[in-house]
Amino acid sequence: GDSVTQMEGPVTLSEEAFLTINCTYTATGYPSLFWYVQYPGEGLQLLLKATKADDKGSNKGFEATYRKETTSFHLEKGSVQVSDSAVYFCALSDSGGGGADGLTFGKGTHLIIQP
Amino acid sequence: GAVVSQHPSWVICKSGTSVKIECRSLDFQATTMFWYRQFPKQSLMLMATSNEGSKATYEQGVEKDKFLINHASLTLSTLTVTSAHPEDSSFYICSAPPPRGNQPQHFGDGTRLSIL
């Protein structure tokens, strides 16, 4: 079955540091890939997505590129802020994230940004 | 604003009681909704797919008699945890895909269930 593996947390960085959160996946076919963010006490919010190989998703300074050859979708940001502190989930869908299937999530990475 | 509303956001109850959680799509119709469970510091695990007008589809290992799902209308799905016990304490999250295909799902804010 499908699976998503992402780096264990917590990840603690200083403000303005460079961020990378690794994510690799196993899936049949050509899944769509997502990063979701969960701020303290809140639900999940879609951060970015990519639906095919070599696509780059970007939002709020975060980027991730769909790498089929390495089955990866690593999340990056050039300069993090305290407000980026949250839990980040990598996820995939065999149906483009639409109605047919639920999502398969990684375990989440807790990011802590210190001033 | 939120397009999927989940209620209640937090519930504490005694062991043996049943708890109902509602998931509503606010400005669109959802023939399918999904229910996830999240343990502390763990991932979200898909529990079941709720289908309007038909039976829910449960993932392997999820007890359908324990977690009753009713998709009564195109905007409402409910999850009832029957005879809840402390091991059922968890964070439950629903999601619904927007009507236009191939678009990311909208998630509710989740329900934190604590069974004493």
Side-chain angles (χ1 to χ4, degrees), chain A residues 34 36 38 42-44 46 49 89 95-103 105-107, chain B residues 32 34 36 38 41-44 46 49 91 93 97 102-105 107-110:
Chain A
F34 307 85
Y36 282 85
Q38 186 176 33
E42 299 184 13
L44 288 174
L46 177 66
K49 69 169 184 173
F89 292 92
S95 62
D101 299 312
L103 296 170
F105 285 88
K107 288 189 175 182
Chain B
T32 302
F34 300 97
Y36 297 83
Q38 184 183 24
K41 299 183 180 181
Q42 296 291 319
S43 181
L44 283 78
L46 179 66
T49 302
F91 194 58
I93 304 175
N102 208 33
Q103 294 297 314
Q105 297 175 22
F107 282 82
D109 284 343

PDB file of all heavy atoms in Angstrom, chain A residues 34 36 38 42-44 46 49 89 95-103 105-107, chain B residues 32 34 36 38 41-44 46 49 91 93 97 102-105 107-110:
ATOM      1  N   PHE A  34       1.258  16.480  -1.339  1.00  0.00           N
ATOM      2  CA  PHE A  34       0.794  17.651  -0.605  1.00  0.00           C
ATOM      3  C   PHE A  34       1.652  17.885   0.635  1.00  0.00           C
ATOM      4  O   PHE A  34       2.205  16.955   1.206  1.00  0.00           O
ATOM      5  CB  PHE A  34      -0.655  17.459  -0.126  1.00  0.00           C
ATOM      6  CG  PHE A  34      -1.627  17.080  -1.201  1.00  0.00           C
ATOM      7  CD1 PHE A  34      -1.787  15.754  -1.574  1.00  0.00           C
ATOM      8  CD2 PHE A  34      -2.381  18.048  -1.831  1.00  0.00           C
ATOM      9  CE1 PHE A  34      -2.670  15.397  -2.568  1.00  0.00           C
ATOM     10  CE2 PHE A  34      -3.280  17.701  -2.824  1.00  0.00           C
ATOM     11  CZ  PHE A  34      -3.426  16.373  -3.192  1.00  0.00           C
ATOM     12  N   TYR A  36       0.687  19.729   4.264  1.00  0.00           N
ATOM     13  CA  TYR A  36      -0.307  20.384   5.100  1.00  0.00           C
ATOM     14  C   TYR A  36       0.392  20.922   6.346  1.00  0.00           C
ATOM     15  O   TYR A  36       1.392  20.367   6.812  1.00  0.00           O
ATOM     16  CB  TYR A  36      -1.400  19.406   5.519  1.00  0.00           C
ATOM     17  CG  TYR A  36      -2.427  19.112   4.454  1.00  0.00           C
ATOM     18  CD1 TYR A  36      -2.204  18.123   3.497  1.00  0.00           C
ATOM     19  CD2 TYR A  36      -3.614  19.831   4.393  1.00  0.00           C
ATOM     20  CE1 TYR A  36      -3.139  17.859   2.515  1.00  0.00           C
ATOM     21  CE2 TYR A  36      -4.564  19.573   3.410  1.00  0.00           C
ATOM     22  CZ  TYR A  36      -4.313  18.588   2.477  1.00  0.00           C
ATOM     23  OH  TYR A  36      -5.249  18.335   1.507  1.00  0.00           O
ATOM     24  N   GLN A  38      -0.355  22.313  10.411  1.00  0.00           N
ATOM     25  CA  GLN A  38      -1.305  22.342  11.534  1.00  0.00           C
ATOM     26  C   GLN A  38      -0.728  23.239  12.613  1.00  0.00           C
ATOM     27  O   GLN A  38       0.234  22.873  13.292  1.00  0.00           O
ATOM     28  CB  GLN A  38      -1.528  20.925  12.061  1.00  0.00           C
ATOM     29  CG  GLN A  38      -2.595  20.822  13.132  1.00  0.00           C
ATOM     30  CD  GLN A  38      -2.838  19.375  13.561  1.00  0.00           C
ATOM     31  OE1 GLN A  38      -1.918  18.550  13.564  1.00  0.00           O
ATOM     32  NE2 GLN A  38      -4.072  19.045  13.905  1.00  0.00           N
ATOM     33  N   GLU A  42      -5.310  24.156  16.011  1.00  0.00           N
ATOM     34  CA  GLU A  42      -6.111  24.340  14.800  1.00  0.00           C
ATOM     35  C   GLU A  42      -6.143  23.067  13.961  1.00  0.00           C
ATOM     36  O   GLU A  42      -5.434  22.100  14.220  1.00  0.00           O
ATOM     37  CB  GLU A  42      -5.552  25.496  13.973  1.00  0.00           C
ATOM     38  CG  GLU A  42      -5.575  26.835  14.695  1.00  0.00           C
ATOM     39  CD  GLU A  42      -5.092  27.976  13.798  1.00  0.00           C
ATOM     40  OE1 GLU A  42      -4.977  27.786  12.582  1.00  0.00           O
ATOM     41  OE2 GLU A  42      -4.841  29.067  14.357  1.00  0.00           O
ATOM     42  N   GLY A  43      -6.983  23.097  12.928  1.00  0.00           N
ATOM     43  CA  GLY A  43      -7.059  21.981  12.001  1.00  0.00           C
ATOM     44  C   GLY A  43      -5.991  22.069  10.924  1.00  0.00           C
ATOM     45  O   GLY A  43      -5.103  22.904  10.964  1.00  0.00           O
ATOM     46  N   LEU A  44      -6.094  21.185   9.974  1.00  0.00           N
ATOM     47  CA  LEU A  44      -5.113  21.125   8.891  1.00  0.00           C
ATOM     48  C   LEU A  44      -5.399  22.178   7.824  1.00  0.00           C
ATOM     49  O   LEU A  44      -6.543  22.409   7.461  1.00  0.00           O
ATOM     50  CB  LEU A  44      -5.155  19.757   8.228  1.00  0.00           C
ATOM     51  CG  LEU A  44      -4.597  18.583   8.999  1.00  0.00           C
ATOM     52  CD1 LEU A  44      -4.849  17.310   8.243  1.00  0.00           C
ATOM     53  CD2 LEU A  44      -3.119  18.762   9.266  1.00  0.00           C
ATOM     54  N   LEU A  46      -4.012  23.261   3.879  1.00  0.00           N
ATOM     55  CA  LEU A  46      -3.155  22.930   2.753  1.00  0.00           C
ATOM     56  C   LEU A  46      -2.105  24.025   2.582  1.00  0.00           C
ATOM     57  O   LEU A  46      -2.421  25.211   2.490  1.00  0.00           O
ATOM     58  CB  LEU A  46      -3.980  22.803   1.477  1.00  0.00           C
ATOM     59  CG  LEU A  46      -3.187  22.528   0.206  1.00  0.00           C
ATOM     60  CD1 LEU A  46      -2.531  21.155   0.265  1.00  0.00           C
ATOM     61  CD2 LEU A  46      -4.092  22.637  -1.020  1.00  0.00           C
ATOM     62  N   LYS A  49       0.945  21.986  -3.053  1.00  0.00           N
ATOM     63  CA  LYS A  49       0.735  20.684  -3.660  1.00  0.00           C
ATOM     64  C   LYS A  49       1.454  20.608  -5.002  1.00  0.00           C
ATOM     65  O   LYS A  49       1.821  21.636  -5.592  1.00  0.00           O
ATOM     66  CB  LYS A  49      -0.751  20.420  -3.876  1.00  0.00           C
ATOM     67  CG  LYS A  49      -1.381  21.306  -4.942  1.00  0.00           C
ATOM     68  CD  LYS A  49      -2.779  20.837  -5.304  1.00  0.00           C
ATOM     69  CE  LYS A  49      -3.337  21.702  -6.454  1.00  0.00           C
ATOM     70  NZ  LYS A  49      -4.629  21.165  -6.936  1.00  0.00           N
ATOM     71  N   PHE A  89       2.779  18.180   7.734  1.00  0.00           N
ATOM     72  CA  PHE A  89       2.474  16.828   7.283  1.00  0.00           C
ATOM     73  C   PHE A  89       2.659  16.726   5.774  1.00  0.00           C
ATOM     74  O   PHE A  89       2.112  17.524   5.018  1.00  0.00           O
ATOM     75  CB  PHE A  89       1.023  16.453   7.605  1.00  0.00           C
ATOM     76  CG  PHE A  89       0.731  16.296   9.068  1.00  0.00           C
ATOM     77  CD1 PHE A  89       0.263  17.363   9.811  1.00  0.00           C
ATOM     78  CD2 PHE A  89       0.917  15.076   9.696  1.00  0.00           C
ATOM     79  CE1 PHE A  89      -0.023  17.225  11.156  1.00  0.00           C
ATOM     80  CE2 PHE A  89       0.637  14.921  11.049  1.00  0.00           C
ATOM     81  CZ  PHE A  89       0.178  15.999  11.777  1.00  0.00           C
ATOM     82  N   SER A  95      -5.723   9.966  -6.135  1.00  0.00           N
ATOM     83  CA  SER A  95      -6.802  10.504  -6.970  1.00  0.00           C
ATOM     84  C   SER A  95      -6.692  12.003  -7.121  1.00  0.00           C
ATOM     85  O   SER A  95      -7.668  12.680  -7.351  1.00  0.00           O
ATOM     86  CB  SER A  95      -8.158  10.144  -6.373  1.00  0.00           C
ATOM     87  OG  SER A  95      -8.282  10.717  -5.094  1.00  0.00           O
ATOM     88  N   GLY A  96      -5.505  12.544  -6.952  1.00  0.00           N
ATOM     89  CA  GLY A  96      -5.317  13.976  -7.101  1.00  0.00           C
ATOM     90  C   GLY A  96      -5.779  14.764  -5.913  1.00  0.00           C
ATOM     91  O   GLY A  96      -5.853  15.984  -5.956  1.00  0.00           O
ATOM     92  N   GLY A  97      -6.100  14.067  -4.803  1.00  0.00           N
ATOM     93  CA  GLY A  97      -6.564  14.773  -3.612  1.00  0.00           C
ATOM     94  C   GLY A  97      -8.030  15.088  -3.675  1.00  0.00           C
ATOM     95  O   GLY A  97      -8.590  15.714  -2.789  1.00  0.00           O
ATOM     96  N   GLY A  98      -8.698  14.649  -4.728  1.00  0.00           N
ATOM     97  CA  GLY A  98     -10.115  14.915  -4.876  1.00  0.00           C
ATOM     98  C   GLY A  98     -10.979  13.878  -4.206  1.00  0.00           C
ATOM     99  O   GLY A  98     -10.596  13.288  -3.234  1.00  0.00           O
ATOM    100  N   GLY A  99     -12.116  13.585  -4.787  1.00  0.00           N
ATOM    101  CA  GLY A  99     -13.132  12.882  -4.034  1.00  0.00           C
ATOM    102  C   GLY A  99     -12.958  11.398  -3.870  1.00  0.00           C
ATOM    103  O   GLY A  99     -13.568  10.835  -2.974  1.00  0.00           O
ATOM    104  N   ALA A 100     -12.138  10.757  -4.697  1.00  0.00           N
ATOM    105  CA  ALA A 100     -12.211   9.306  -4.716  1.00  0.00           C
ATOM    106  C   ALA A 100     -11.582   8.651  -3.500  1.00  0.00           C
ATOM    107  O   ALA A 100     -12.078   7.659  -2.997  1.00  0.00           O
ATOM    108  CB  ALA A 100     -11.562   8.777  -5.986  1.00  0.00           C
ATOM    109  N   ASP A 101     -10.493   9.176  -3.007  1.00  0.00           N
ATOM    110  CA  ASP A 101      -9.738   8.498  -1.965  1.00  0.00           C
ATOM    111  C   ASP A 101      -9.384   9.441  -0.828  1.00  0.00           C
ATOM    112  O   ASP A 101      -9.230  10.643  -1.016  1.00  0.00           O
ATOM    113  CB  ASP A 101      -8.418   7.947  -2.523  1.00  0.00           C
ATOM    114  CG  ASP A 101      -8.638   6.947  -3.628  1.00  0.00           C
ATOM    115  OD1 ASP A 101      -9.457   6.048  -3.434  1.00  0.00           O
ATOM    116  OD2 ASP A 101      -7.989   7.085  -4.672  1.00  0.00           O
ATOM    117  N   GLY A 102      -9.211   8.825   0.347  1.00  0.00           N
ATOM    118  CA  GLY A 102      -8.640   9.585   1.447  1.00  0.00           C
ATOM    119  C   GLY A 102      -7.157   9.758   1.211  1.00  0.00           C
ATOM    120  O   GLY A 102      -6.566   9.166   0.320  1.00  0.00           O
ATOM    121  N   LEU A 103      -6.544  10.596   2.019  1.00  0.00           N
ATOM    122  CA  LEU A 103      -5.127  10.883   1.897  1.00  0.00           C
ATOM    123  C   LEU A 103      -4.312   9.955   2.782  1.00  0.00           C
ATOM    124  O   LEU A 103      -4.775   9.512   3.839  1.00  0.00           O
ATOM    125  CB  LEU A 103      -4.847  12.329   2.303  1.00  0.00           C
ATOM    126  CG  LEU A 103      -5.483  13.406   1.433  1.00  0.00           C
ATOM    127  CD1 LEU A 103      -5.331  14.779   2.075  1.00  0.00           C
ATOM    128  CD2 LEU A 103      -4.843  13.413   0.065  1.00  0.00           C
ATOM    129  N   PHE A 105      -1.005  10.060   5.033  1.00  0.00           N
ATOM    130  CA  PHE A 105      -0.176  11.084   5.664  1.00  0.00           C
ATOM    131  C   PHE A 105       1.104  10.496   6.232  1.00  0.00           C
ATOM    132  O   PHE A 105       1.152   9.342   6.657  1.00  0.00           O
ATOM    133  CB  PHE A 105      -0.938  11.728   6.826  1.00  0.00           C
ATOM    134  CG  PHE A 105      -2.012  12.686   6.413  1.00  0.00           C
ATOM    135  CD1 PHE A 105      -3.295  12.248   6.165  1.00  0.00           C
ATOM    136  CD2 PHE A 105      -1.733  14.040   6.279  1.00  0.00           C
ATOM    137  CE1 PHE A 105      -4.293  13.137   5.785  1.00  0.00           C
ATOM    138  CE2 PHE A 105      -2.723  14.940   5.903  1.00  0.00           C
ATOM    139  CZ  PHE A 105      -3.996  14.473   5.655  1.00  0.00           C
ATOM    140  N   GLY A 106       2.142  11.323   6.266  1.00  0.00           N
ATOM    141  CA  GLY A 106       3.313  11.027   7.067  1.00  0.00           C
ATOM    142  C   GLY A 106       3.007  11.320   8.525  1.00  0.00           C
ATOM    143  O   GLY A 106       1.932  11.802   8.866  1.00  0.00           O
ATOM    144  N   LYS A 107       3.969  11.041   9.407  1.00  0.00           N
ATOM    145  CA  LYS A 107       3.733  11.181  10.845  1.00  0.00           C
ATOM    146  C   LYS A 107       3.757  12.629  11.319  1.00  0.00           C
ATOM    147  O   LYS A 107       3.391  12.906  12.455  1.00  0.00           O
ATOM    148  CB  LYS A 107       4.769  10.368  11.622  1.00  0.00           C
ATOM    149  CG  LYS A 107       4.551   8.869  11.516  1.00  0.00           C
ATOM    150  CD  LYS A 107       5.459   8.119  12.470  1.00  0.00           C
ATOM    151  CE  LYS A 107       5.127   6.636  12.444  1.00  0.00           C
ATOM    152  NZ  LYS A 107       5.963   5.868  13.397  1.00  0.00           N
TER     153      LYS A 107
ATOM    154  N   THR B  32     -19.123  12.610  -0.587  1.00  0.00           N
ATOM    155  CA  THR B  32     -18.129  11.809   0.122  1.00  0.00           C
ATOM    156  C   THR B  32     -17.447  12.672   1.168  1.00  0.00           C
ATOM    157  O   THR B  32     -17.115  13.824   0.905  1.00  0.00           O
ATOM    158  CB  THR B  32     -17.065  11.262  -0.848  1.00  0.00           C
ATOM    159  OG1 THR B  32     -17.705  10.472  -1.855  1.00  0.00           O
ATOM    160  CG2 THR B  32     -16.040  10.416  -0.113  1.00  0.00           C
ATOM    161  N   PHE B  34     -14.472  12.126   4.570  1.00  0.00           N
ATOM    162  CA  PHE B  34     -13.505  11.199   5.137  1.00  0.00           C
ATOM    163  C   PHE B  34     -13.325  11.485   6.625  1.00  0.00           C
ATOM    164  O   PHE B  34     -13.319  12.643   7.051  1.00  0.00           O
ATOM    165  CB  PHE B  34     -12.149  11.336   4.423  1.00  0.00           C
ATOM    166  CG  PHE B  34     -12.217  11.062   2.952  1.00  0.00           C
ATOM    167  CD1 PHE B  34     -12.321  12.100   2.050  1.00  0.00           C
ATOM    168  CD2 PHE B  34     -12.174   9.768   2.476  1.00  0.00           C
ATOM    169  CE1 PHE B  34     -12.387  11.858   0.688  1.00  0.00           C
ATOM    170  CE2 PHE B  34     -12.244   9.511   1.120  1.00  0.00           C
ATOM    171  CZ  PHE B  34     -12.355  10.549   0.220  1.00  0.00           C
ATOM    172  N   TYR B  36     -10.717  10.826   9.853  1.00  0.00           N
ATOM    173  CA  TYR B  36      -9.367  10.454  10.246  1.00  0.00           C
ATOM    174  C   TYR B  36      -9.263  10.465  11.766  1.00  0.00           C
ATOM    175  O   TYR B  36     -10.006  11.169  12.453  1.00  0.00           O
ATOM    176  CB  TYR B  36      -8.335  11.448   9.698  1.00  0.00           C
ATOM    177  CG  TYR B  36      -8.248  11.535   8.196  1.00  0.00           C
ATOM    178  CD1 TYR B  36      -9.122  12.334   7.474  1.00  0.00           C
ATOM    179  CD2 TYR B  36      -7.266  10.834   7.502  1.00  0.00           C
ATOM    180  CE1 TYR B  36      -9.035  12.423   6.095  1.00  0.00           C
ATOM    181  CE2 TYR B  36      -7.166  10.923   6.127  1.00  0.00           C
ATOM    182  CZ  TYR B  36      -8.049  11.725   5.428  1.00  0.00           C
ATOM    183  OH  TYR B  36      -7.954  11.813   4.064  1.00  0.00           O
ATOM    184  N   GLN B  38      -6.175  10.899  14.790  1.00  0.00           N
ATOM    185  CA  GLN B  38      -4.803  11.306  15.024  1.00  0.00           C
ATOM    186  C   GLN B  38      -4.450  11.095  16.484  1.00  0.00           C
ATOM    187  O   GLN B  38      -5.005  11.745  17.368  1.00  0.00           O
ATOM    188  CB  GLN B  38      -4.603  12.777  14.638  1.00  0.00           C
ATOM    189  CG  GLN B  38      -3.184  13.259  14.770  1.00  0.00           C
ATOM    190  CD  GLN B  38      -3.037  14.732  14.444  1.00  0.00           C
ATOM    191  OE1 GLN B  38      -3.980  15.502  14.538  1.00  0.00           O
ATOM    192  NE2 GLN B  38      -1.834  15.138  14.041  1.00  0.00           N
ATOM    193  N   LYS B  41       1.186  13.090  18.640  1.00  0.00           N
ATOM    194  CA  LYS B  41       2.475  13.028  17.965  1.00  0.00           C
ATOM    195  C   LYS B  41       2.521  11.938  16.905  1.00  0.00           C
ATOM    196  O   LYS B  41       3.595  11.423  16.579  1.00  0.00           O
ATOM    197  CB  LYS B  41       3.605  12.837  18.985  1.00  0.00           C
ATOM    198  CG  LYS B  41       3.701  13.982  19.990  1.00  0.00           C
ATOM    199  CD  LYS B  41       4.861  13.817  20.931  1.00  0.00           C
ATOM    200  CE  LYS B  41       4.914  14.993  21.915  1.00  0.00           C
ATOM    201  NZ  LYS B  41       6.048  14.882  22.851  1.00  0.00           N
ATOM    202  N   GLN B  42       1.395  11.583  16.388  1.00  0.00           N
ATOM    203  CA  GLN B  42       1.321  10.582  15.329  1.00  0.00           C
ATOM    204  C   GLN B  42       0.640  11.173  14.098  1.00  0.00           C
ATOM    205  O   GLN B  42       0.149  12.296  14.129  1.00  0.00           O
ATOM    206  CB  GLN B  42       0.528   9.351  15.808  1.00  0.00           C
ATOM    207  CG  GLN B  42       1.166   8.608  16.958  1.00  0.00           C
ATOM    208  CD  GLN B  42       2.437   7.907  16.554  1.00  0.00           C
ATOM    209  OE1 GLN B  42       2.512   7.326  15.473  1.00  0.00           O
ATOM    210  NE2 GLN B  42       3.445   7.972  17.401  1.00  0.00           N
ATOM    211  N   SER B  43       0.629  10.386  13.066  1.00  0.00           N
ATOM    212  CA  SER B  43       0.023  10.848  11.822  1.00  0.00           C
ATOM    213  C   SER B  43      -1.490  10.721  11.858  1.00  0.00           C
ATOM    214  O   SER B  43      -2.056  10.108  12.755  1.00  0.00           O
ATOM    215  CB  SER B  43       0.590  10.023  10.667  1.00  0.00           C
ATOM    216  OG  SER B  43       0.040  10.446   9.449  1.00  0.00           O
ATOM    217  N   LEU B  44      -2.126  11.295  10.866  1.00  0.00           N
ATOM    218  CA  LEU B  44      -3.556  11.071  10.684  1.00  0.00           C
ATOM    219  C   LEU B  44      -3.736   9.744   9.960  1.00  0.00           C
ATOM    220  O   LEU B  44      -3.107   9.490   8.934  1.00  0.00           O
ATOM    221  CB  LEU B  44      -4.176  12.175   9.814  1.00  0.00           C
ATOM    222  CG  LEU B  44      -4.426  13.516  10.458  1.00  0.00           C
ATOM    223  CD1 LEU B  44      -3.144  14.306  10.562  1.00  0.00           C
ATOM    224  CD2 LEU B  44      -5.460  14.284   9.663  1.00  0.00           C
ATOM    225  N   LEU B  46      -6.516   7.327   8.120  1.00  0.00           N
ATOM    226  CA  LEU B  46      -7.854   7.283   7.567  1.00  0.00           C
ATOM    227  C   LEU B  46      -8.634   6.158   8.227  1.00  0.00           C
ATOM    228  O   LEU B  46      -8.178   5.011   8.259  1.00  0.00           O
ATOM    229  CB  LEU B  46      -7.786   7.071   6.053  1.00  0.00           C
ATOM    230  CG  LEU B  46      -9.117   6.969   5.319  1.00  0.00           C
ATOM    231  CD1 LEU B  46      -9.870   8.295   5.387  1.00  0.00           C
ATOM    232  CD2 LEU B  46      -8.892   6.578   3.860  1.00  0.00           C
ATOM    233  N   THR B  49     -14.509   6.095   4.890  1.00  0.00           N
ATOM    234  CA  THR B  49     -15.059   6.990   3.876  1.00  0.00           C
ATOM    235  C   THR B  49     -16.572   6.993   4.036  1.00  0.00           C
ATOM    236  O   THR B  49     -17.206   5.923   3.994  1.00  0.00           O
ATOM    237  CB  THR B  49     -14.679   6.522   2.473  1.00  0.00           C
ATOM    238  OG1 THR B  49     -13.252   6.465   2.381  1.00  0.00           O
ATOM    239  CG2 THR B  49     -15.224   7.475   1.418  1.00  0.00           C
ATOM    240  N   PHE B  91      -7.789  12.548  18.617  1.00  0.00           N
ATOM    241  CA  PHE B  91      -8.203  13.716  17.840  1.00  0.00           C
ATOM    242  C   PHE B  91      -8.813  13.195  16.553  1.00  0.00           C
ATOM    243  O   PHE B  91      -8.157  12.464  15.805  1.00  0.00           O
ATOM    244  CB  PHE B  91      -6.982  14.603  17.574  1.00  0.00           C
ATOM    245  CG  PHE B  91      -7.288  15.986  17.078  1.00  0.00           C
ATOM    246  CD1 PHE B  91      -8.072  16.839  17.818  1.00  0.00           C
ATOM    247  CD2 PHE B  91      -6.755  16.443  15.881  1.00  0.00           C
ATOM    248  CE1 PHE B  91      -8.343  18.133  17.379  1.00  0.00           C
ATOM    249  CE2 PHE B  91      -7.017  17.734  15.428  1.00  0.00           C
ATOM    250  CZ  PHE B  91      -7.817  18.575  16.179  1.00  0.00           C
ATOM    251  N   ILE B  93     -10.646  13.980  12.900  1.00  0.00           N
ATOM    252  CA  ILE B  93     -10.713  15.042  11.897  1.00  0.00           C
ATOM    253  C   ILE B  93     -11.479  14.542  10.683  1.00  0.00           C
ATOM    254  O   ILE B  93     -11.282  13.406  10.244  1.00  0.00           O
ATOM    255  CB  ILE B  93      -9.309  15.489  11.441  1.00  0.00           C
ATOM    256  CG1 ILE B  93      -8.463  15.921  12.638  1.00  0.00           C
ATOM    257  CG2 ILE B  93      -9.387  16.630  10.433  1.00  0.00           C
ATOM    258  CD1 ILE B  93      -7.029  16.266  12.261  1.00  0.00           C
ATOM    259  N   PRO B  97     -14.001  16.622  -0.066  1.00  0.00           N
ATOM    260  CA  PRO B  97     -13.481  17.165  -1.313  1.00  0.00           C
ATOM    261  C   PRO B  97     -14.464  18.160  -1.901  1.00  0.00           C
ATOM    262  O   PRO B  97     -15.677  17.967  -1.829  1.00  0.00           O
ATOM    263  CB  PRO B  97     -13.351  15.929  -2.199  1.00  0.00           C
ATOM    264  CG  PRO B  97     -14.378  14.986  -1.683  1.00  0.00           C
ATOM    265  CD  PRO B  97     -14.537  15.267  -0.230  1.00  0.00           C
ATOM    266  N   ASN B 102     -10.538  16.727  -8.645  1.00  0.00           N
ATOM    267  CA  ASN B 102      -9.091  16.883  -8.635  1.00  0.00           C
ATOM    268  C   ASN B 102      -8.627  18.124  -7.874  1.00  0.00           C
ATOM    269  O   ASN B 102      -7.622  18.735  -8.214  1.00  0.00           O
ATOM    270  CB  ASN B 102      -8.547  16.929 -10.067  1.00  0.00           C
ATOM    271  CG  ASN B 102      -7.119  16.414 -10.143  1.00  0.00           C
ATOM    272  OD1 ASN B 102      -6.737  15.530  -9.392  1.00  0.00           O
ATOM    273  ND2 ASN B 102      -6.337  16.978 -11.030  1.00  0.00           N
ATOM    274  N   GLN B 103      -9.341  18.485  -6.846  1.00  0.00           N
ATOM    275  CA  GLN B 103      -8.952  19.599  -5.992  1.00  0.00           C
ATOM    276  C   GLN B 103      -8.711  19.090  -4.576  1.00  0.00           C
ATOM    277  O   GLN B 103      -9.299  18.104  -4.158  1.00  0.00           O
ATOM    278  CB  GLN B 103     -10.058  20.665  -5.971  1.00  0.00           C
ATOM    279  CG  GLN B 103     -10.268  21.359  -7.307  1.00  0.00           C
ATOM    280  CD  GLN B 103      -9.043  22.126  -7.740  1.00  0.00           C
ATOM    281  OE1 GLN B 103      -8.439  22.858  -6.966  1.00  0.00           O
ATOM    282  NE2 GLN B 103      -8.648  21.944  -8.989  1.00  0.00           N
ATOM    283  N   PRO B 104      -7.810  19.756  -3.841  1.00  0.00           N
ATOM    284  CA  PRO B 104      -7.505  19.296  -2.482  1.00  0.00           C
ATOM    285  C   PRO B 104      -8.726  19.317  -1.590  1.00  0.00           C
ATOM    286  O   PRO B 104      -9.619  20.149  -1.742  1.00  0.00           O
ATOM    287  CB  PRO B 104      -6.458  20.297  -1.997  1.00  0.00           C
ATOM    288  CG  PRO B 104      -5.871  20.852  -3.236  1.00  0.00           C
ATOM    289  CD  PRO B 104      -6.974  20.887  -4.234  1.00  0.00           C
ATOM    290  N   GLN B 105      -8.714  18.410  -0.658  1.00  0.00           N
ATOM    291  CA  GLN B 105      -9.820  18.309   0.281  1.00  0.00           C
ATOM    292  C   GLN B 105      -9.774  19.459   1.289  1.00  0.00           C
ATOM    293  O   GLN B 105      -8.729  19.996   1.610  1.00  0.00           O
ATOM    294  CB  GLN B 105      -9.737  16.979   1.016  1.00  0.00           C
ATOM    295  CG  GLN B 105      -9.873  15.782   0.104  1.00  0.00           C
ATOM    296  CD  GLN B 105      -9.663  14.482   0.838  1.00  0.00           C
ATOM    297  OE1 GLN B 105      -9.804  14.419   2.052  1.00  0.00           O
ATOM    298  NE2 GLN B 105      -9.341  13.432   0.111  1.00  0.00           N
ATOM    299  N   PHE B 107     -10.420  20.391   5.209  1.00  0.00           N
ATOM    300  CA  PHE B 107     -10.430  19.704   6.493  1.00  0.00           C
ATOM    301  C   PHE B 107     -11.178  20.521   7.539  1.00  0.00           C
ATOM    302  O   PHE B 107     -11.126  21.758   7.542  1.00  0.00           O
ATOM    303  CB  PHE B 107      -9.002  19.463   6.978  1.00  0.00           C
ATOM    304  CG  PHE B 107      -8.321  18.320   6.293  1.00  0.00           C
ATOM    305  CD1 PHE B 107      -7.725  18.491   5.051  1.00  0.00           C
ATOM    306  CD2 PHE B 107      -8.288  17.066   6.877  1.00  0.00           C
ATOM    307  CE1 PHE B 107      -7.111  17.430   4.406  1.00  0.00           C
ATOM    308  CE2 PHE B 107      -7.674  16.000   6.247  1.00  0.00           C
ATOM    309  CZ  PHE B 107      -7.085  16.175   5.007  1.00  0.00           C
ATOM    310  N   GLY B 108     -11.860  19.800   8.427  1.00  0.00           N
ATOM    311  CA  GLY B 108     -12.419  20.437   9.603  1.00  0.00           C
ATOM    312  C   GLY B 108     -11.319  20.724  10.613  1.00  0.00           C
ATOM    313  O   GLY B 108     -10.181  20.299  10.443  1.00  0.00           O
ATOM    314  N   ASP B 109     -11.661  21.455  11.656  1.00  0.00           N
ATOM    315  CA  ASP B 109     -10.689  21.822  12.677  1.00  0.00           C
ATOM    316  C   ASP B 109     -10.432  20.700  13.678  1.00  0.00           C
ATOM    317  O   ASP B 109      -9.576  20.834  14.553  1.00  0.00           O
ATOM    318  CB  ASP B 109     -11.131  23.074  13.416  1.00  0.00           C
ATOM    319  CG  ASP B 109     -10.915  24.335  12.592  1.00  0.00           C
ATOM    320  OD1 ASP B 109     -10.141  24.266  11.617  1.00  0.00           O
ATOM    321  OD2 ASP B 109     -11.515  25.369  12.917  1.00  0.00           O
ATOM    322  N   GLY B 110     -11.183  19.618  13.577  1.00  0.00           N
ATOM    323  CA  GLY B 110     -10.934  18.477  14.439  1.00  0.00           C
ATOM    324  C   GLY B 110     -11.729  18.510  15.730  1.00  0.00           C
ATOM    325  O   GLY B 110     -12.193  19.559  16.177  1.00  0.00           O
TER     326      GLY B 110
END
